[in-house]
Amino acid sequence: MTENAIDAWFTALPTTQRPILDRLRSLIVEVNPNTVEHFKWSRPCYSAGNGLFGYLHTSKGHATLGFQNGAILSDPKMRLEGDGKDMRHIKLRTQDDFDEEYFRSLLIEAATL
């Protein structure tokens, strides 16, 4: 999917979720400038030198920040959800759920696994 199509995905987001997902997108690229953004499973996914590390998703009532290898991430605030072998995610319902310092540390760790 082209960069324009990815931008279109963000443009089409519900107005309640777009600011959250835009902030997450910016933070992902900020913490690792070598991040590659691409589409997989109908959502923006993010890769670095070691492969896929994260994704963004939208659902009816929340935005999601997901981690490919989330099961092994440090999670001192116990916000990661999921019980699969590898993947974990965090649901954000409002902008008040955005914890930039915490997300930054998770993203840095995830991109280096």
Side-chain angles (χ1 to χ4, degrees):
M1 184 168 265
T2 67
E3 184 175 329
N4 289 339
I6 294 171
D7 289 339
W9 185 88
F10 280 92
T11 300
L13 291 168
T15 56
T16 56
Q17 295 178 17
R18 184 171 182 198
I20 295 167
L21 290 161
D22 282 343
R23 284 177 73 188
L24 287 169
R25 183 186 197 190
S26 295
L27 185 60
I28 290 167
V29 173
E30 179 186 318
V31 301
N32 187 344
N34 296 320
T35 296
V36 176
E37 181 179 54
H38 50 96
F39 248 62
K40 198 173 190 124
W41 308 298
S42 300
R43 68 197 66 172
C45 294
Y46 300 90
S47 298
N50 295 329
L52 182 66
F53 68 86
Y55 65 91
L56 299 176
H57 184 64
T58 182
S59 297
K60 185 176 181 179
H62 64 274
T64 301
L65 170 61
F67 297 95
Q68 183 69 21
N69 293 308
I72 59 174
L73 291 176
S74 303
D75 184 22
K77 294 190 178 188
M78 307 285 292
R79 288 192 61 188
L80 290 171
E81 299 180 41
D83 55 11
K85 180 181 173 190
D86 298 315
M87 297 177 79
R88 296 288 184 274
H89 62 274
I90 297 173
K91 295 176 183 172
L92 296 93
R93 289 175 176 78
T94 70
Q95 290 205 48
D96 291 339
D97 294 331
F98 198 96
D99 184 340
E100 185 167 336
E101 183 179 321
Y102 176 63
F103 295 162
R104 179 182 302 279
S105 68
L106 288 172
L107 289 163
I108 290 169
E109 184 180 359
T112 59
L113 292 176

